[in-house]
């Protein structure tokens, strides 16, 4: 109660200055930095730390790192960073070979720890500081995973091994850090004490990872599987993990990491996990990096050349040891050079654990200020270098796998769309809100439903209030009636069958997806604006919620002109390793309905220009023969669709994938993209994927087709011209 009494005793102006003003400034910085990251294409953590430096004692002196609010938010952000590092991990990767993961982990830990200890001895540092350096360069966070996840490089065994090994390496590094801190507190303990601590940690690991998983399953079985109760379980799990760590006498950071792993395994993928990641990546972790920048004194770094020298030496030690670890693993499993370089580049960035080492070491007095600054500089250097290197290598690796598939005529197991279903029940739901784009959305729905004599359901939603007789609800209901009356008039002009629907609900996204499920809809068509508002930045958008929850495909359309005027449609195929036949099928049906011309575009990246003299030259990838082979391969992929009119296929060679698509799109009225769910690495702002970057620069109409979360319902299974929703195998959400 002492802290609460202290806050209540503050004068209003003092409370505002110490608590409200810093928090408001931090939120404003996050919004501004997000735009800077998009423009300059910098790693988010680099921009946030730089912003913190500008706001602190080295810049404008707006915020103080020692203020109570900054200290509180910094601690929360660090704890959330450790927690989310484990929560974000893709546990599906554990289904693959364990032995290669163990081998790469052992090589990485032994070589990195050895390199760090040797570097510390060379610089006459203490034993603890030398081990801290080894831990810092051993653990890694694959920052570029969101960037490459949609390219198909996870087909590579080497990439899967690197991603999985990151979790084990981070866990081992945390355990070593905890033991180092305990060793410093009790410098004369015997080997028996060390063995007892290791046994205690092992039992603690087992209890948290297995016990919490069992507890969660029983909890949801008896109490119910609801989002609010899942949140309660998450909070309970964190408290149990941290309390257990305190009881056995270890640092809470290990408990937070294990809690993230246990919750990840128990919750799986879902709305609760997405919101936990969203809150961390958008609020708490960015705030932590800004607070980290506040602690940095630029004058100290400039005047003390040892800090820069130590950071450079640590970078080269990491650079060499991680490459040797990847090289040894290559010798064991005969990876290609491109795969080996990809393993190396993914294991370079050090973010989560190095910050834990730096902050905890500084807090307990085991780390000097010079070494702390050197670790922060190392984090920034590895983040920038790794993102650049991985983006280049990812395109090369994808290109290599595509060429192998094309040249060897590898068959891909693709789902063949059903072609024998009845067609009279095809249903399209069109949520109405903005009268300005209503006409275009209704025309799009008409194009898709008329060929199969389907129906369109214009949906208007009135926001519910506590009482059904309030004035606000009456006004909202009257507005819905006006929107539906306009839709009725448009339907007579378009010649389509519609069934207007008004729904009263307290949330728009659930109202849309529930209505779609109740009406057995086969498609949802939504409008999409080009601007991102403040509400979307802080809480996500309505579209994201619908995409996550919908049982059927969702078309998100930004139409700059009437859909009836669309004559040329472009569908980029980013890579041929995971072709999206559902999107191709939809695009061709839309082209047939509008008598438009569809073009499939595949870009062959010129990898030898990205790494001249490093990667072996592949003349075939730039030759006319390779382009012809790719074109033939794409037509082979289209054969399961049984299209009446085959689309045109263009294969071009270019150094830059986004620029190639933008140049080609100038000649088209509409560009269609498949929706790719975005993964964000802990410690970074959300990275814009290729689709997001392109849609912001395209001036023509754009459609993004999102498949439902459940794999048994796809556009491929739902031929847009012939469908009977009663024959589809729906699963309850």
């Amino acid at each position: 109660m002492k802290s609460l009494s202290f806050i209540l005793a503050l004068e209003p102006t003092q409370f505002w200055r110490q608590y409200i003003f810093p928090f408001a400034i931090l939120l404003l910085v996050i919004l501004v930095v997000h735009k800077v990251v998009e423009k300059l294409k910098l790693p988010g953590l680099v921009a946030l730390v730089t912003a913190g430096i500008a706001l602190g004692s080295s810049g404008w002196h707006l915020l103080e790192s020692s203020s109570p609010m900054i200290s509180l938010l910094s601690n929360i952000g660090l704890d959330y960073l450790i927690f989310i590092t484990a929560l974000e991990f893709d546990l599906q990767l554990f289904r693959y070979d364990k032995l290669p993961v163990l081998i790469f982990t052992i090589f990485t830990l032994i070589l990195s720890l050895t390199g760090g200890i040797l570097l510390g001895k060379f610089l006459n540092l203490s034993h603890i500081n030398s081990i801290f350096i080894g831990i810092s360069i051993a653990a890694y966070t694959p920052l570029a995973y969101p960037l490459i996840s949609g390219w198909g490089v996870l087909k590579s065994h080497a990439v899967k091994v690197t991603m999985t090994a990151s979790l084990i390496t981070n866990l081992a590094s945390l355990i070593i850090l905890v033991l180092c801190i305990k060793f410093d507190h009790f410098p004369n303990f015997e080997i028996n004490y060390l063995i007892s601590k290791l046994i205690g940690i092992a039992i603690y690991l087992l209890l948290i990872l297995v016990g919490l998983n069992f507890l969660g399953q029983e909890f949801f079985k008896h109490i119910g599987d609801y989002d609010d109760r899942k949140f309660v379980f998450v909070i309970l799990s964190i408290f149990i993990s941290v309390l257990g760590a305190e009881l056995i006498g270890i640092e809470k950071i290990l408990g937070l990491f294990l809690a993230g792993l246990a919750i990840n395994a128990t919750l799986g993928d879902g709305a609760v996990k997405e919101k936990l990641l969203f809150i961390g990546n958008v609020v708490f972790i960015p705030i932590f990096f800004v607070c980290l920048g506040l602690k940095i004194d630029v004058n100290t770094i400039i005047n003390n050349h040892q800090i820069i020298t130590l950071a450079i030496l640590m970078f080269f030690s990491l650079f060499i040891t991680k490459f040797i670890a990847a090289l040894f693993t290559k010798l064991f499993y005969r990876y290609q050079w491109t795969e080996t370089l990809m393993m190396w580049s993914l294991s370079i960035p050090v973010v989560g654990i190095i910050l834990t080492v730096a902050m905890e070491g500084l807090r307990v007095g085991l780390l000097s200020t010079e070494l702390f600054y050197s670790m922060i500089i190392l984090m920034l250097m590895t983040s920038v270098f790794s993102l650049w290197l991985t983006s280049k290598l990812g395109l090369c690796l994808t290109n290599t796998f595509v060429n192998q598939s094309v040249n060897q005529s590898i068959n891909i197991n693709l789902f063949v769309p059903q072609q024998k279903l009845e067609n009279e029940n095809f249903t399209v739901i069109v949520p109405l809100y903005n009268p300005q784009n209503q006409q275009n959305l209704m025309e799009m729905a008409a194009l898709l439903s008329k060929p199969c004599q389907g129906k369109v359901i214009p949906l208007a939603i009135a926001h519910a209030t506590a009482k059904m007789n309030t004035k606000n609800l009456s006004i909202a209901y009257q507005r819905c009636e006006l929107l539906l009356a306009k839709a009725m008039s448009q339907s007579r002009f378009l010649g389509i069958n519609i069934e207007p629907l008004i729904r009263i609900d307290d949330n728009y996204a659930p109202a849309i997806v529930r209505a779609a499920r109740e009406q057995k809809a086969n498609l949802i068509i939504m409008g999409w604006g080009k601007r991102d508002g403040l509400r979307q930045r802080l809480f996500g958008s309505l579209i994201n919620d619908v995409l996550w929850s919908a049982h059927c495909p969702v078309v998100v359309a930004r139409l700059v002109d009437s859909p009836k005027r669309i004559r040329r449609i472009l569908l980029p195929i980013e890579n041929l390793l995971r072709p999206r036949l559902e999107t191709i099928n939809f695009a061709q049906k839309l082209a047939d309905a509008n008598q438009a011309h569809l073009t499939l575009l595949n870009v062959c990246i010129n990898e030898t220009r990205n790494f001249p003299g490093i990667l072996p030259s592949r003349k075939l990838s730039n030759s006319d023969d390779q382009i012809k082979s790719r074109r033939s391969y794409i037509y082979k992929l289209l054969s399961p669709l049984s299209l009446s009119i085959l689309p045109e296929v263009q294969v071009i060679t270019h150094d830059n994938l986004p620029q190639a698509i933008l140049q080609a799109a100038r000649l088209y009225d509409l560009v269609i993209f498949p929706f790719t769910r975005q993964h964000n690495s802990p410690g970074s702002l959300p990275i814009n994927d290729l689709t997001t970057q392109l849609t912001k620069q395209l001036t023509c109409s754009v459609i993004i087709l999102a498949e439902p979360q459940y794999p048994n319902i796809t556009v491929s299974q739902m031929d847009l011209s012939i469908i009977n929703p009663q024959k589809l195998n729906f699963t309850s959400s």
Side-chain angles (χ1 to χ4, degrees):
M1 296 297 293
K2 182 178 180 181
S3 59
L4 180 60
S5 302
F6 170 75
I7 293 176
L8 294 176
L10 292 175
E11 295 292 334
T13 55
Q14 189 178 3
F15 177 79
W16 183 88
R17 187 185 308 112
Q18 292 188 12
Y19 292 93
I20 303 300
F21 177 74
F23 189 65
I25 290 294
L26 290 173
L27 291 180
L28 180 62
V29 167
I30 293 174
L31 293 175
V32 174
V33 167
H34 202 302
K35 286 293 184 183
V36 175
V37 169
E38 292 177 359
K39 295 293 183 182
L40 302 181
K41 298 181 180 179
L42 291 171
L45 60 91
V46 176
L48 290 168
V49 172
T50 305
I53 294 174
L55 294 173
S57 58
S58 300
W60 301 326
H61 298 274
L62 286 177
L63 300 176
E64 296 180 2
S65 60
S66 59
S67 69
M69 190 64 174
I70 296 298
S71 300
L72 174 63
L73 293 175
S74 178
N75 292 333
I76 294 176
L78 179 60
D79 293 345
Y80 213 112
L81 176 62
I82 301 169
F83 171 74
I84 209 174
T85 300
L87 183 67
E88 173 73 8
F89 185 78
D90 186 2
L91 294 176
Q92 297 296 325
L93 295 173
F94 273 116
R95 297 184 302 175
Y96 303 102
D97 297 338
K98 308 296 189 303
L99 184 59
V101 174
L102 184 61
I103 290 175
F104 182 66
T105 301
I106 292 174
F107 282 149
T108 302
L109 283 173
I110 293 177
L111 292 172
S112 299
L113 285 172
T114 303
I117 293 173
L118 291 177
L119 178 60
K121 293 304 180 184
F122 174 75
L123 298 173
N124 295 322
L125 299 178
S126 65
H127 295 290
I128 293 294
N129 283 346
S130 300
I131 296 176
F132 277 6
I133 293 176
I135 297 172
S136 301
I137 65 178
Y140 61 92
T141 302
L143 283 181
Y145 174 67
L147 189 65
I148 65 174
S149 59
W151 294 353
V153 297
L154 288 180
K155 176 183 177 182
S156 169
H157 184 264
V159 174
K160 295 173 185 175
V161 167
T162 310
M163 297 298 300
T164 310
S166 67
L167 179 67
I168 304 176
T169 307
N170 290 342
L171 180 58
S173 300
L174 278 178
I175 294 175
I176 296 173
L177 172 63
V178 169
L179 291 176
C180 286
I181 295 176
K182 298 301 295 183
F183 175 78
D184 182 76
H185 291 166
F186 303 97
N188 297 321
F189 73 85
E190 300 178 353
I191 189 65
N192 293 333
Y193 181 82
L194 175 62
I195 294 175
S196 64
K197 275 297 176 184
L198 289 175
I199 294 175
I201 291 175
I203 297 174
Y204 175 69
L205 287 172
L206 186 64
L207 288 176
I208 294 299
L209 296 179
V210 178
L212 281 182
N213 190 13
F214 174 79
L215 181 64
Q217 292 177 359
E218 292 298 318
F219 182 84
F220 299 143
K221 182 188 300 183
H222 293 90
I223 300 182
D225 189 7
Y226 299 97
D227 287 352
D228 55 345
R229 295 169 186 177
K230 287 184 178 180
F231 272 112
V232 173
F233 173 76
V234 169
I235 297 172
L236 177 64
S237 300
I238 295 174
F239 274 101
I240 291 176
S241 301
V242 174
L243 179 61
E246 294 290 339
L247 290 177
I248 65 173
I250 61 175
E251 299 297 319
K252 67 175 181 178
I253 52 177
L254 184 59
L256 290 167
F257 189 84
L258 293 177
L261 274 182
I263 293 170
N264 191 359
T266 304
L267 290 181
D269 293 331
V272 174
K273 181 179 176 180
E274 286 290 319
K275 290 175 182 177
L276 288 171
L277 295 175
F278 179 80
I279 293 172
N281 286 323
V282 173
V283 180
F284 290 113
I285 293 178
I287 285 178
F288 166 73
F289 281 108
V290 177
C291 296
L292 182 65
L294 295 175
K295 298 178 181 294
I296 298 176
D297 187 353
V298 177
N299 293 327
T300 301
I301 297 176
I302 295 175
N303 297 328
N304 192 339
H305 300 292
Q306 293 181 354
I307 296 176
I308 303 296
T309 302
L310 180 56
I312 294 175
L313 290 175
M314 291 172 63
F315 179 79
F316 279 108
S317 178
L318 180 149
F319 194 87
I320 295 171
T321 56
K322 293 293 179 68
F323 180 77
I324 295 176
L327 183 62
F328 282 173
T329 311
K330 174 189 185 300
L331 298 178
F332 270 84
Y333 294 98
R334 298 181 180 179
Y335 293 138
Q336 301 177 18
W337 269 111
T338 312
E339 292 180 290
T340 305
L341 293 175
M342 177 63 79
M343 292 184 71
W344 172 54
S345 66
L346 284 174
S347 62
I348 286 177
V350 287
V351 178
I353 302 303
I354 192 175
L355 290 174
T356 306
V357 172
M359 299 295 288
E360 288 295 313
L362 192 65
R363 181 182 64 84
V364 299
L366 298 179
L367 210 64
S368 63
T369 306
E370 291 77 11
L371 187 54
F372 172 79
Y373 285 154
S374 298
M375 288 183 175
I376 301 303
I377 295 173
L378 177 64
M379 178 198 68
L380 300 177
M381 293 170 62
T382 56
S383 301
V384 175
F385 179 75
S386 175
L387 285 175
W388 171 82
L389 182 62
T390 307
S391 64
K392 300 294 184 181
L393 289 170
L395 292 175
C396 295
L397 186 57
T398 302
N399 208 38
T400 300
F401 286 154
V402 170
N403 290 338
Q404 290 177 353
S405 301
V406 171
N407 296 332
Q408 299 174 11
S409 298
I410 296 176
N411 293 323
I412 299 179
N413 186 17
L414 298 172
F415 185 85
V416 180
Q418 299 181 17
Q419 299 289 336
K420 296 182 179 180
L421 298 179
E422 300 173 5
N423 60 10
E424 65 273 9
N425 293 324
F426 183 74
T427 303
V428 181
I429 280 197
V430 183
L432 303 179
Y433 181 78
N434 185 2
Q436 296 180 356
N437 64 7
Q438 178 173 325
Q439 176 70 30
N440 290 340
L441 294 179
M442 292 295 294
E443 289 184 8
M444 177 63 67
L447 287 174
L448 296 172
S449 62
K450 284 183 72 174
C452 52
Q453 292 82 43
K455 65 179 178 181
V456 177
I457 300 180
L459 173 64
I461 302 170
H463 193 272
T465 56
K467 295 183 179 180
M468 292 293 102
N469 60 348
T470 61
K471 181 179 180 181
N472 291 336
L473 180 59
S474 300
I475 295 175
Y477 199 88
Q478 291 175 2
R479 184 178 183 277
C480 292
E481 290 178 329
L482 292 176
L483 291 174
L484 294 181
K486 184 177 180 180
M488 290 286 291
S489 175
Q490 292 166 345
S491 67
R492 288 190 290 268
F493 177 76
L494 296 172
I496 56 174
N497 177 32
I498 72 168
E499 296 181 5
L501 178 64
I502 296 181
R503 190 179 184 98
I504 300 176
D505 208 312
D506 55 1
N507 199 323
Y508 290 104
I512 294 172
V513 297
R514 291 167 186 167
R517 191 61 186 267
E518 293 166 359
Q519 299 297 326
K520 298 180 179 180
N522 306 102
L523 195 66
I524 300 174
I525 298 180
M526 300 183 66
W528 171 40
K530 197 170 183 179
R531 296 182 178 179
D532 293 325
L534 176 63
R535 182 176 180 274
Q536 292 182 351
R537 286 281 185 233
L538 292 177
F539 305 107
S541 67
L542 167 68
I543 293 176
N544 289 335
D545 294 337
V546 174
L547 296 182
W548 176 261
S549 305
H551 79 284
C552 62
V554 180
V555 169
V556 183
R558 190 187 76 199
L559 302 172
V560 299
D561 202 353
S562 171
K564 294 182 178 180
R565 299 180 181 179
I566 295 175
R567 292 294 177 263
R568 294 178 61 84
I569 303 175
L570 178 66
L571 174 57
I573 305 177
E574 295 182 20
N575 67 76
L576 302 179
L577 299 177
R578 299 194 308 175
R580 306 293 290 270
L581 291 190
E582 304 89 352
T583 309
I584 298 175
N585 190 42
F586 168 82
Q588 187 59 54
K589 297 303 177 185
L590 179 60
D592 293 342
N594 213 26
Q595 298 181 353
H597 179 75
L598 174 63
T599 301
L600 306 182
L601 175 66
N602 178 250
V603 181
C604 180
I605 300 299
N606 188 353
E607 58 193 73
T608 56
R609 293 191 181 182
N610 289 329
F611 294 95
I614 299 178
L615 297 177
S617 176
R618 294 180 174 87
K619 296 181 180 179
L620 181 61
S621 63
N622 297 325
S623 66
D624 293 338
D625 292 337
Q626 183 62 34
I627 292 177
K628 291 178 181 179
S629 299
R630 284 199 175 206
R631 187 181 292 113
S632 301
Y633 184 72
I634 294 174
Y635 278 122
K636 182 180 179 181
L637 295 177
L638 297 178
S639 57
L641 295 178
S642 301
L643 301 174
S644 57
I645 301 177
L646 288 178
E648 177 188 358
V649 175
Q650 288 187 6
V651 180
I652 61 175
T653 302
H654 204 280
D655 299 334
N656 189 297
L657 179 60
Q659 288 299 322
I661 296 176
L662 289 173
Q663 292 175 9
R666 296 173 183 174
L667 303 176
Y668 292 85
D669 306 313
L670 172 67
V671 180
I672 300 178
F673 297 100
F675 176 71
T676 302
R677 299 194 178 274
Q678 183 173 307
H679 301 273
N680 298 316
S681 290
S684 64
L685 288 175
I687 298 177
N688 285 339
D689 57 13
L690 179 63
T691 303
T692 306
Q693 296 177 25
L694 291 173
T695 52
K696 291 183 177 181
Q697 300 180 58
L698 289 171
T699 58
C700 61
S701 298
V702 176
I703 282 180
I704 297 177
L705 177 67
E707 288 297 304
Q709 282 286 307
Y710 309 103
N712 62 316
I713 306 175
T714 64
V715 174
S716 295
Q717 291 170 300
M718 295 185 285
D719 189 334
L720 293 184
S721 63
I722 40 178
I723 201 158
N724 184 351
Q726 297 178 352
K727 294 186 178 181
L728 294 175
N729 181 23
F730 290 107
T731 58
S732 60
S733 56

